[in-house]
Amino acid sequence: MTTPAVPASRIPEEVHRRRWVILGVLILSLLIVVLDNSILNVAVKTISTPAPTGLGATQSEIEWAINSYTLVFAGLLFTSGLVGDRLGRKKVLLGGLIVFGIGSALAAESGSPGQLIAYRALMALGAAFVMPATLAVLMNIFERAEQPKAIGIWAGGVGLGIAIGPITGGALLDHFWWGSVFLINVPIVIVAVALMIWLVPDSRDPNPGRLDPVGVLLSVVGLVLLVYGIIKGGELADFTDPKVLLTIVAGLAVLVGFVIYEKRSDHPSLDVTYFRNKTFSAAMAAIALVFFALMGVTFFSVFYTQSVRGYSPLEAGALMLPLAVAQMVFAPRARLVVDRFGNRVTTAAGLVLIAVTLAVFAFFEADTPIWILEVDMFLMGTAMAHIMTPTSVVIMQALPREKAGSASALSNTFRQVGGALGIAVLGSVLSTAYHDGIEGKLGTVPAGLRDAAGDSIEATLGVAAKLGPQGRALAGAADDAFLHAMHITALCGTGVALLGALVVALFLPGKPPAAQEGEKERELVVAGE
């Protein structure tokens, strides 16, 4: 007679034996997406430099080079999860990798900021089908008991990408032109595709839903309008401008329409009934809020290290290593902390630590010892590891295994939307505060250059370099204005992280009693998990 645990396993023995090797291939695919974003963070200063060194992109264009990727990525994640569940996650992974590789090659040859923004959007089209599929495949090659460990290693892969991205980007920018930071993706894509064809099994939902083109269109339009309005408000240094307000309100209205449509649809790309589960909703909110705070602060930290402190791209990339190393080390081990203290305490403590590390940025000056930044980055990575792993486990285990693509898509959507809004909102706060701080210092600048000089610290320093001796005073004023703007932005990020901690403390479950844990384990065995 067969024991209950044997029929419970829906994973073929051959797949089970090579599950850790397959996880390595999935992490390699994930690395490509993460690597690209972390490389771009180092390259933004170079890309904003006038030709021939860069493209002369304004701060708004730089934000759109990041947000065009994020918006397309987030807008298509709903559908990519459904497509993977329906057609097969391996097929979706392969297609996404190929499109991402083509977009990377084209981005490397961009001749203007507009082309770079467009090709970044094409890269996002591919990435939208890669990242959720990696987590969905993971959920279908590991039994439930091993899933937290596997998800922790998967999250550690994100840390690895963050670690090698800035160093790789800095080294490439030191020796090659700016486009090399995108071209580096192509050989990685080729290797990942070959390994995936060879090793990764396919899986799909036996009862998939239909595609939802109307829902996808509404989500993309709503997000683009909302974030465009926020970026435009920062660019104009005036959020009360009628065009800005109209765009933001229109975006919010479309997103409300999206939720209403999805609630009434019999084949929604976003099943809003998932959010009736307070634990599930709190985990989603935590992911969105932590990336809102983190991405916005990461955006300005690049300009702090390179423009104010004078570090090269390679050196600035190396300064990000402590954050990445901490995430890589602690993410696979975070489950042990959860086992001891529970999801609520672990995640809330992580968000409070994120808030503290962001608040530290409010005290950085041009001559602050750099080791303080390094310690702060390490603590920030530690905090991220203890937020990402437990919330990802909660989200992925809240839905049935056959809906893994949808669960992963939702998780990644909230992360990306949170990051996009963080860059837009906190980037706009930074831009507005900087503009207000530098405006009174531009009296010595020729009238024809005055407007452009107030756009960003890079623009001001570019003008200062042309003014000879009097430009030195302007450069000093630019540093002061940027530091003041950075302090304000960091405190805004701190507030958002604390809000996330409050949400988690109120709604995530605490550590269950030992007897309840034992009963849960017995239920999983009987249920076949």
Side-chain angles (χ1 to χ4, degrees):
M1 183 174 179
T2 309
T3 63
V6 173
S9 177
R10 288 172 283 177
I11 301 172
E13 180 60 29
E14 181 184 356
V15 172
H16 181 73
R17 283 199 309 267
R18 54 182 176 155
R19 63 195 184 283
W20 297 109
V21 177
I22 295 171
L23 178 60
V25 178
L26 296 177
I27 289 175
L28 178 62
S29 304
L30 175 69
L31 272 178
I32 302 169
V33 178
V34 178
L35 182 72
D36 176 74
N37 280 314
S38 58
I39 282 181
L40 184 61
N41 285 335
V42 176
V44 292
K45 180 180 181 295
T46 304
I47 294 172
S48 65
T49 303
T53 302
L55 292 175
T58 64
Q59 180 166 313
S60 177
E61 288 169 335
I62 288 292
E63 288 179 6
W64 271 107
I66 296 170
N67 282 329
S68 67
Y69 181 99
T70 306
L71 288 174
V72 172
F73 186 79
L76 293 177
L77 277 171
F78 300 131
T79 297
S80 73
L82 286 176
V83 170
D85 289 343
R86 184 187 184 99
L87 300 181
R89 288 125 191 173
K90 179 176 180 176
K91 297 183 184 70
V92 163
L93 259 173
L94 289 171
L97 284 171
I98 291 169
V99 171
F100 186 86
I102 293 171
S104 297
L106 292 172
E109 299 298 328
S110 298
S112 67
Q115 288 183 5
L116 178 61
I117 292 169
Y119 293 140
R120 288 275 298 164
L122 179 62
M123 292 169 66
L125 175 63
F129 289 86
V130 173
M131 184 173 272
T134 61
L135 198 50
V137 171
L138 180 155
M139 297 299 289
N140 281 273
I141 62 172
F142 286 94
E143 297 292 357
R144 188 179 181 94
E146 285 188 320
Q147 285 171 1
K149 180 179 180 181
I151 290 175
I153 295 172
W154 180 88
V158 175
L160 179 61
I162 295 173
I164 65 177
I167 295 294
T168 304
L172 289 170
L173 292 172
D174 274 0
H175 296 91
F176 304 102
W177 92 115
W178 65 265
S180 60
V181 301
F182 298 109
L183 197 60
I184 190 65
N185 294 329
V186 176
I188 303 176
V189 165
I190 293 171
V191 172
V193 166
L195 290 174
M196 191 151 312
I197 292 172
W198 178 32
L199 291 169
V200 177
D202 208 354
S203 61
R204 67 183 72 189
D205 182 353
N207 299 299
R210 287 186 290 153
L211 298 182
D212 180 24
V214 175
V216 170
L217 181 63
L218 288 173
S219 66
V220 172
V221 171
L223 286 168
V224 168
L225 286 173
L226 176 62
V227 177
Y228 178 79
I230 293 169
I231 292 175
K232 197 66 179 175
E235 186 180 341
L236 297 175
D238 181 11
F239 282 89
T240 62
D241 183 278
K243 291 181 181 179
V244 172
L245 286 175
L246 183 62
T247 306
I248 291 175
V249 170
L252 290 172
V254 173
L255 290 175
V256 170
F258 165 71
V259 172
I260 294 172
Y261 176 83
E262 295 298 286
K263 191 174 182 179
R264 295 179 177 177
S265 175
D266 60 356
H267 57 284
S269 58
L270 173 59
D271 189 344
V272 295
T273 61
Y274 295 155
F275 293 93
R276 292 175 183 170
N277 183 326
K278 291 182 179 179
T279 299
F280 182 84
S281 297
M284 286 293 189
I287 282 181
L289 290 172
V290 72
F291 270 81
F292 179 101
L294 196 67
M295 290 298 290
V297 173
T298 301
F299 180 74
F300 71 63
S301 67
V302 173
F303 289 96
Y304 171 68
T305 54
Q306 294 188 45
S307 300
V308 176
R309 300 301 296 262
Y311 289 100
S312 70
L314 178 58
E315 291 168 336
L319 292 175
M320 295 291 290
L321 270 177
L323 183 150
V325 169
Q327 189 177 347
M328 190 166 53
V329 169
F330 290 111
R333 294 169 173 79
R335 76 188 195 286
L336 303 176
V337 181
V338 173
D339 289 344
R340 179 163 184 175
F341 299 104
N343 280 310
R344 180 193 299 161
V345 171
T346 303
T347 309
L351 279 158
V352 170
L353 183 55
I354 283 280
V356 171
T357 59
L358 297 180
V360 170
F361 272 91
F363 299 94
F364 283 157
E365 300 293 344
D367 58 353
T368 299
I370 204 64
W371 66 265
I372 297 178
L373 174 66
E374 297 298 87
V375 172
D376 198 50
M377 287 291 185
F378 183 83
L379 293 175
M380 191 179 292
T382 303
M384 277 195 68
H386 290 88
I387 298 168
M388 290 303 302
T389 300
T391 52
S392 295
V393 171
V394 166
I395 291 165
M396 295 305 296
Q397 292 191 343
L399 303 184
R401 191 198 298 260
E402 59 270 17
K403 299 295 183 183
S406 299
S408 178
L410 277 173
S411 173
N412 282 287
T413 298
F414 272 70
R415 178 163 58 243
Q416 292 298 319
V417 170
L421 292 178
I423 291 171
V425 174
L426 296 183
S428 296
V429 171
L430 180 73
S431 178
T432 302
Y434 179 79
H435 185 274
D436 291 345
I438 198 66
E439 192 173 23
K441 310 292 185 181
L442 300 177
T444 59
V445 177
L449 298 174
R450 201 166 295 162
D451 288 341
D455 284 345
S456 66
I457 185 172
E458 279 304 304
T460 308
L461 293 177
V463 170
K466 301 175 183 177
L467 298 180
Q470 69 181 37
R472 284 194 289 273
L474 180 60
D479 286 350
D480 293 340
F482 180 84
L483 287 169
H484 176 68
M486 183 180 79
H487 296 163
I488 293 173
T489 308
L491 292 176
C492 290
T494 300
V496 172
L498 289 174
L499 176 63
L502 179 62
V503 169
V504 164
L506 290 175
F507 298 111
L508 271 192
K511 186 177 187 293
Q516 186 177 335
E517 287 183 339
E519 181 62 30
K520 184 178 179 182
E521 288 299 321
R522 286 192 293 274
E523 288 175 0
L524 291 177
V525 171
V526 173
E529 293 293 342

